[in-house]
Structures are given as C-alpha cells and as structure tokens.
Amino acid sequence: MKKSKVTVIGSINMDLVTETPRVPAIGETVLGRNFSTFPGGKGANQAVACARLGAEVTMVGCVGDDGFGRELVHYLLTEHILMDYVEPVTHTATGIASITVQDGDNSIVVVPGANHELTVKKVAALETIIQHSDIVLLQLEIPLETVEAAANIAHKHGVPVVLNPAPAVRLPENLLDKVSFITPNEHELAIMAGAEGEQAEDYCSLMQRYPGKVVMTKGSEGAYYVLPDGSVGHEPGRKVEVMDTTGAGDTFNGALAVMLAEGKSLEEATKYAVAASALSVTRFGAQSGMPTKDQVDNFIQQMERSI
Ligand code: RIB
C-alpha cells in the first residue's frame, strides 16, 4: 500500500522531565525521584507517531543552533522523518518543556524559544510541500498567525488539515472554517470555543457547533466525535497500565491523521487513535511509548477477541 504523505508544521522541544511523589506548592521544595531528558514538542511527537504508523512524514519547524537542536534533528532523522524544512536559527535557543510527572500524570511548562521563529513567510515558502500532502497536522506551539497561514494554504489546495488546539487559546472563526478536523480535550474545547460556566461543561453542545469536525479526547474515557449530521459518537478508552500520559494526545493526533489520510471514516480513525494512544501511556517519555502499526493492529485484534 502506498504510504500517505503527512506534513507536520509545529514545535520541536527537548523535554526536561522530573518524576516527583508530589507536585510542590508555591514556595515549597520537594525531593524528586528521577530526572531525564526526552525528545518532545507536540509537533515532533505527532510526526514520530505518524512515521511509526507507516506514513511518509515531512516536518516543518525551527530549532536553535545548539546542542538540543542538533540532538533533536538527529533523533527525528532516525525515525525516518524528512527534516529538510527544519531550520536551525542562530539567535534563539531550542524550545524546551519542563515536565513534572506525578503518578503517571503530568504538568508542563513550555518555553517555545526557536519554535516561535517559524514565521508566516517561512511557511508561505513551502506552499508546494503543503499542496502535495495528503494531510497537514498543526498544533499551537508555534505562532498562531503561522498556523493560520498554513491552514489557508492547505485549504486553498483542498488538502485536509487536522488542528490539535493545544496549548489552548480562543480560535479565530476563520481558522475554524479552514481546518477539516479539530482535536481538543474537554478543557481546550471550551477555551477554543470561548465558552464559560455551564456552557463550558456541556461538551456535546460545544462539539455540535462544529459538525463533522470535532474529535474530543477525554483521557481514560476515550474520545467523542461529532458526525456531519450533528450526532455525537463515543469510542471508549482501553484499560492499560499507565506509566506516563505525556504524548498520549500527540499519539492520538498522529494516528487520527494517518487514518484520515488513508481515507478511513471519522469513526474508524477515532477507534484506531484511541487504541494507539492507550498503548503510548504504557512507557515513560512522550515518544518512547509510541506504537508501530503492527502493535496497534495486534492490540485492536486482542481487544476484539476479548469482547
Ligand atoms: O504533548 C506533550 C508535549 O507537550 C511534550 O513533549 C512537550 O514538549 C510539550 O510540547
């Protein structure tokens, strides 16, 4: 089968991960259990997820001209991702994420650094790359105007776009119109839609504002999607032993994008993405636990046998 072409336009970070028995309160010091560095960044993570699931992946982004930047580019090359359009910039450091993991759950502070050097001009120069993609995958760790420019170019050429609206911001209507699929978690859904109070909790109604577009992830509950007729479907989460949830959303997005690029329906793509993200949390680090296509296929078969 011909590989689908996915272009990921997004962030590349080094993750600085501390495991702690307890997240410190303001002004408090606690002793952590362990510290490690891992390749990360929502863009790079999603690129790795797509590549492991069999897609031909082009990464567009910026790293600093520094040790982290070189290490990250080298690592992504070993994942067979085309890195010709990842530019090292001299005056800004590579993006980092300071991640605290407690009992498998994480909290993250991102310092975008070089990721914010990915300008509208740089993306506009890659119109041909976007035009010849089967799907474009975007997140919000690069400037919003760059995301908008990429979505506009893809829309102009009829190339579908998956937008993972993380970290959450209120999204301009024009961007919401241009993207084909949006994949918030429940908090991001409320923020992107500008909903507050009770309205923010009614995620079914919020999803129905964007029929056929929204797939909402909800942690261990799996994912909900809204079909073009406004009906809401649910793909339940899979029970696994959780080590680290960092990168679960990125695995979900990568898997969803690959399946949609292969022409699968929203229901089928969501089912596959839920299975892939469940597998990803069973190992430490954002990218280390991302499964291959065979692993996801076997996992789905096992699940079906056990029903
Ligand atoms: O989604 C997880 C990612 O968010 C981490 O790898 C970190 O780099 C932040 O971008």
Side-chain angles (χ1 to χ4, degrees):
M1 188 176 143
K2 200 173 145 279
K3 288 185 166 202
S4 51
K5 286 189 184 175
V6 182
T7 298
V8 181
I9 303 175
S11 58
I12 305 171
N13 295 333
M14 187 59 88
D15 289 353
L16 315 177
V17 184
T18 306
E19 285 173 79
T20 177
R22 194 162 57 75
V23 177
I26 304 274
E28 188 192 12
T29 303
V30 297
L31 288 182
R33 287 200 178 115
N34 205 1
F35 173 79
S36 333
T37 56
F38 291 104
K42 293 187 196 303
N45 294 345
Q46 293 179 21
V48 171
C50 293
R52 293 213 186 142
L53 296 172
E56 186 182 311
V57 184
T58 300
M59 178 85 214
V60 175
C62 287
V63 291
D65 188 9
D66 50 30
F68 279 169
R70 281 185 282 280
E71 209 180 309
L72 290 165
V73 168
H74 172 76
Y75 177 77
L76 292 168
L77 285 169
T78 67
E79 292 284 341
H80 310 289
I81 293 168
L82 183 71
M83 296 296 285
D84 292 5
Y85 310 105
V86 173
E87 195 185 326
V89 292
T90 47
H91 52 283
T92 316
T94 297
I96 64 102
S98 173
I99 303 184
T100 309
V101 179
Q102 180 198 359
D103 297 333
D105 280 324
N106 63 62
S107 41
I108 307 183
V109 177
V110 172
V111 182
N115 294 305
H116 272 198
E117 300 297 323
L118 186 58
T119 58
V120 169
K121 198 170 157 205
K122 283 177 184 160
V123 164
L126 299 176
E127 179 156 355
T128 322
I129 303 295
I130 295 174
Q131 179 183 358
H132 292 109
S133 309
D134 293 316
I135 205 157
V136 170
L137 187 47
L138 302 167
Q139 320 74 29
L140 299 177
E141 288 183 338
I142 57 172
L144 185 60
E145 62 265 27
T146 307
V147 170
E148 292 181 276
N152 283 336
I153 297 170
H155 187 260
K156 175 176 149 194
H157 293 290
V159 175
V161 173
V162 175
L163 170 63
N164 174 218
V169 291
R170 174 89 201 252
L171 292 179
E173 284 302 319
N174 181 50
L175 178 58
L176 287 164
D177 288 346
K178 295 285 161 58
V179 300
S180 330
F181 302 98
I182 317 165
T183 57
N185 62 26
E186 73 255 50
H187 309 293
E188 292 157 357
L189 175 65
I191 295 171
M192 69 170 232
E196 284 172 10
E198 275 177 25
Q199 207 188 29
E201 280 156 35
D202 184 1
Y203 55 82
C204 276
S205 304
L206 286 177
M207 288 172 70
Q208 283 164 333
R209 288 190 195 175
Y210 316 98
K213 273 197 184 185
V214 176
V215 185
M216 185 194 80
T217 55
K218 203 164 184 296
S220 58
E221 271 184 46
Y224 295 80
Y225 48 89
V226 59
L227 294 170
D229 66 2
S231 58
V232 173
H234 177 217
E235 182 62 36
R238 309 279 179 259
K239 276 215 167 14
V240 288
E241 203 171 313
V242 179
M243 278 289 286
D244 179 10
T245 55
T246 314
D250 297 327
T251 309
F252 183 92
N253 277 277
L256 189 85
V258 172
M259 289 297 109
L260 292 169
E262 287 180 7
K264 302 286 192 303
S265 68
L266 196 55
E267 296 98 309
E268 289 171 303
T270 306
K271 179 179 178 182
Y272 191 86
V274 165
S277 64
L279 282 174
S280 76
V281 303
T282 58
R283 288 182 64 186
F284 216 82
Q287 294 170 17
S288 5
M290 288 179 170
T292 61
K293 187 173 170 358
D294 285 349
Q295 287 169 333
V296 181
D297 290 344
N298 289 338
F299 184 60
I300 291 176
Q301 275 172 17
Q302 265 176 33
M303 290 290 144
E304 278 165 4
R305 265 188 247 124
S306 66
I307 292 173

